[in-house]
Structures are given as structure tokens and as C-alpha cells.
Amino acid sequence: MRKISYIFALLVAFIAFNACTDEVDNYFDESAPERASQTVAEVKKVLQDAPNGWRMEYYGSLTYGGYNVLCQFKGDSVLMASENAGKNHEAGFDDNGKLITVSSHYTLDQSMGVILSFDTYNKVFHYFSDPKNDDYGDAGTGFNGDFEFRVVSATSEKVVLQGRKHGDRIIMYPMQSNDWAQYLKDVENTKTYMASSSYTLMAGNDTLATVSQYGDYHSLAFYYADSTGTNKGYAYPYVVTPQGYQFYDTVDVKGHTFITLSKDYFDNTDERFYPQGDSTICLVTVVPPVVDAFESGQWFFAYSKVGPSSEKAWDDFKEALKKADNGKEATLYWAFIGTYNDKFGFHAQAGSDYIYVELSIREPNETGDEIALQYNRNSPTNKAAQVFMKSYKLTPILKTFSAVNNKFRIKLETDNPRKPTYMKLVSVEEPDKVIELSATGVNYPFEN
């Protein structure tokens, strides 16, 4: 036992002696700061060496889908352009048809990896990370994008970034042409060519799923019953390219997988779209009756579009909202008619209260463009709605487009049955009473 203890003591002494010696093998030719500087320099060289710049597939909240942001790095400056992502986004093309470009500053630093930061304001790019974005989300969130990114990898073929705050994956590809304007025009043409409010996903003669455009965002929602008969619904965000849709993740529906949908394969028609190189799966455009588009979509109110006959009801509602939050003002963030969480009706967010009033479509005509619209004062209309209907002037607004019986008939009018941008509710008895609803989300209806 003593012999073992003696050998163990010698071993400990040997390790301690070697730990204290001044001569330590240097496994690196350079110091840590030097290696960090070299890594930053290598990433900067990759960014600057793309002769036509880069195309960034930019994502914030995946709910909204992705957008093309073009950027070219020179020195410490970056020139940027982008497709337009909303009415308050100063991007795309100006009134004269000229591409909007903005130059700003960027930095590359070492902090647990290389950090790419777009650190001075750029109206094209920082629109996506601005927490006050009236086109997306609530105040304080906006598009939920980042302006600082960890560089995951960087080669001349692809740069992979990760948002530092929200963690979304951003991929950049070198532009093949220096004609940025033509590229973004091609993107817009593809978006128009493939656009529809509803589709069917087919495998041969088998229907795999019904598919709808998720709101007005770059996202498709796939609905189907699984092997147990349980209804499923999954939204897949995408970026529009000149070739079609490039999804953020692989779409998987009943074992059929794909990550692209292309406009120019096999049929060359705007009625059917296929994954690149795969003719076994097909997304088929469906043009529903206008009443179906009305029921399945989300149609947003804006005060400027409710029409003279409805303005007083909205004015009274606005006044009542000043005391609707425990005696304080409740901000109306949005209001729409349509389907949300599988419930069709009037939906709104006033302060902290989510309002849902059940609506029923009655007696549609044969062509599906004239209906009676009925509202429900009781369950399943939620408690918040009942309170607002009783105490805060919501009922007069409901009466501008519906009734408690099926006698209020409205004509549905829109611009494009395949993918409407608006829905007009026209009173059949009084055709001058018109309410126009927008397919694009409207935040703060009283300001729009």
C-alpha cells in the first residue's frame, strides 16, 4: 500500500513540475488576437470579392416570410437595395421607376466568432429590424428582424449568417449579374405570376393538402388530415426568386418533401407549379367563389375606407375606446373580418383585449358574390366582445355590415378573384353604402 502511495506522489510531483516550467509548446504560429484579426480579414475579403454583390434571403419573424435584400461591400461601406415589403418601406422602385439604393456603414468584429453589424441607419435595411414598424407586428416588435449577425460560414459561393438577437438563419448568395433592378423586377413578375389566395397540392390524382396564402405574407399554409385523421396545418415561409418560391425549410406533407416551387418547369403555366426537377408533385391554382375567399381570408379595416355611412359608428367607437381599458384609453391595433384560429367573424385587438364576434354567412346566391351576414351577440362570441358591444360602442360598427338576423344582404366585389387585394362590402338595399377591406394587414386602423 505504501509503495502505491509513493508512486502516486512521484507522479503528482512530476505533473506539478512540468506545469511550472517556462517552456510550453506553442501549437499556433500566431497569438489569439492575431488569429481573430485574420478571421475577420478573411470574411471581409469574401464579402468584398463578389463583383456584383450579394443577394440576402432575409427573414425576421418566420410568420411574415422572407425578402430579397441586395448588398455590395466596399471598404467599410455597404450599398443596399431590396424588394418592397410594405407600404412604409422605402425600397424597391421610386415613382420614376428608378431602383432605390442606400449606402451605409458596416463593421466586422470578433466576439465569440465574427459579428457582421450594419451599424448605421439604412432605410432600406433597418426597416426590417425597426421595432416601430406600422406594416408588421405590434409596437415594439415590428418585423422582428436583426441588424447584427454571427457569421456561421463564409465562402465565395455562400455566406451563412445567424441573427444575433432573434436567431434566424440568413443566407447570402453572390449575384450573377450587376443589374439589380432587373433582378427585382423579375422577382415581382414571378410573385404576380404565381400568386393565388388558394391552391391544392397534388401527387398524381391524389389530393395531399389544401393550401392557402398565409395572410398577405410570403408564407404558404398547408392543411391536411394525417394518418390518424387528425387535421394538421403548417405554414412554410419562403423567398420569391425569379424562378419561383424558395422555402426556408423543407416542406413535408404526408412524406412528400420539397424546398422549391418553380414557375417554369414542365407545364409553363400559371395554373400549376412543381418542385424543381420533380413532376410527381404539383401545386394547382384554385380560383374559389368570392364568398369562399371572403370567408377564408383576413380583410382589414382602415378608417379611410369605411365610407361616409360608417364613419359616425367608427368615430363613436374611437371615443368610447378612451375609457375602455379600466378607465384609460385602449389602442385599436387592428380589426378585420375573416378566419383566425379556425373561427370566422369580426376580430380586433383593443388594448390588451382580443375581441371576437362570430359571424355567419347566410343564403349565398348561385354565383357566390351576394350573401347575408349575421352577427352573434352571445357565445361563441367571446367575453371581451360582449363587453365592448354592451359598453364601448362596438355594436353600431357591426351593424354597418351585418345584423342579428339574415336580412342584411351585401354584395361582395373584388379586383382579382385569384388573389384579391381588397374586398368591398356593398349594401344591396343601399348601394352607396360601401366598406372597402384590405387583404394587406392594417395596423392602427384609425391612422389609415
Side-chain angles (χ1 to χ4, degrees), residues 22-36:
D22 292 330
E23 294 183 6
V24 178
D25 288 336
N26 186 1
Y27 293 100
F28 300 99
D29 294 332
E30 301 162 327
S31 66
E34 288 173 332
R35 293 196 304 275

Side-chain angles (χ1 to χ4, degrees), residues 90-161:
E90 294 184 63
F93 298 88
D94 63 20
D95 293 339
N96 296 317
K98 184 180 178 181
L99 180 67
I100 297 171
T101 59
V102 178
S103 182
S104 57
H105 188 267
Y106 78 97
T107 60
L108 284 166
D109 293 306
Q110 179 70 233
S111 176
M112 298 297 288
V114 179
I115 301 297
L116 170 60
S117 175
F118 298 93
D119 60 345
T120 60
Y121 183 75
N122 183 309
K123 66 181 182 182
V124 167
F125 186 72
H126 287 87
Y127 167 90
F128 296 107
S129 59
D130 190 341
K132 180 63 171 69
N133 184 326
D134 291 339
D135 295 329
Y136 291 93
D138 300 323
T141 59
F143 193 83
N144 253 344
D146 281 298
F147 65 90
E148 290 186 320
F149 307 90
R150 296 192 182 280
V151 180
V152 178
S153 62
T155 69
S156 59
E157 291 79 28
K158 182 170 70 172
V159 175
V160 180
L161 309 173

Side-chain angles (χ1 to χ4, degrees), residues 274-444:
Y274 298 84
Q276 188 170 357
D278 184 358
S279 62
T280 64
I281 307 171
C282 179
L283 190 72
V284 181
T285 299
V286 175
V287 182
V290 65
V291 64
D292 291 349
F294 177 59
E295 185 174 12
S296 63
Q298 294 177 353
W299 307 97
F300 288 83
F301 287 89
Y303 179 78
S304 63
K305 298 296 182 73
V306 298
S309 62
S310 299
E311 284 181 356
K312 185 179 187 308
W314 282 89
D315 289 339
D316 292 344
F317 183 46
K318 183 178 182 180
E319 187 66 26
L321 286 175
K322 292 180 178 179
K323 297 182 178 180
D325 186 7
N326 294 320
K328 298 179 181 179
E329 184 169 2
T331 300
L332 184 65
Y333 292 107
W334 45 259
F336 66 83
I337 296 173
T339 297
Y340 176 65
N341 286 339
D342 296 324
K343 294 180 179 180
F344 174 72
F346 174 87
H347 305 262
Q349 185 73 38
S352 60
D353 289 307
Y354 162 62
I355 297 168
Y356 167 65
V357 180
E358 184 189 47
L359 295 176
S360 300
I361 293 175
R362 306 288 188 181
E363 302 177 355
N365 63 356
E366 290 186 4
T367 56
D369 63 354
E370 185 181 306
I371 60 173
L373 203 56
Q374 180 177 330
Y375 72 85
N376 191 336
R377 290 179 293 196
N378 303 305
S379 182
T381 292
N382 70 5
K383 183 66 177 292
Q386 293 174 32
V387 171
F388 274 79
M389 291 166 69
K390 180 179 179 180
S391 303
Y392 299 110
K393 302 291 186 178
L394 178 59
T395 298
I397 285 180
L398 301 175
K399 288 182 176 180
T400 64
F401 54 80
S402 60
V404 294
N405 51 45
N406 61 359
K407 293 182 180 179
F408 196 109
R409 295 193 65 79
I410 57 176
K411 181 86 170 176
L412 301 173
E413 297 180 357
T414 189
D415 56 341
N416 177 6
R418 177 168 161 165
K419 193 177 188 301
T421 63
Y422 66 80
M423 189 73 66
K424 289 183 179 179
L425 313 184
V426 183
S427 169
V428 171
E429 293 186 356
E430 301 178 75
D432 60 325
K433 293 184 177 180
V434 180
I435 298 172
E436 184 175 325
L437 307 175
S438 172
T440 302
V442 176
N443 290 329
Y444 310 103

Side-chain angles (χ1 to χ4, degrees), residues 225-258:
D226 66 12
S227 58
T228 67
T230 304
N231 290 326
K232 301 288 187 180
Y234 299 98
Y236 288 90
Y238 60 82
V239 165
V240 182
T241 71
Q243 292 74 40
Y245 296 164
Q246 176 73 40
F247 290 94
Y248 184 83
D249 285 315
T250 299
V251 180
D252 187 343
V253 179
K254 296 182 177 180
H256 295 269
T257 61
F258 54 93

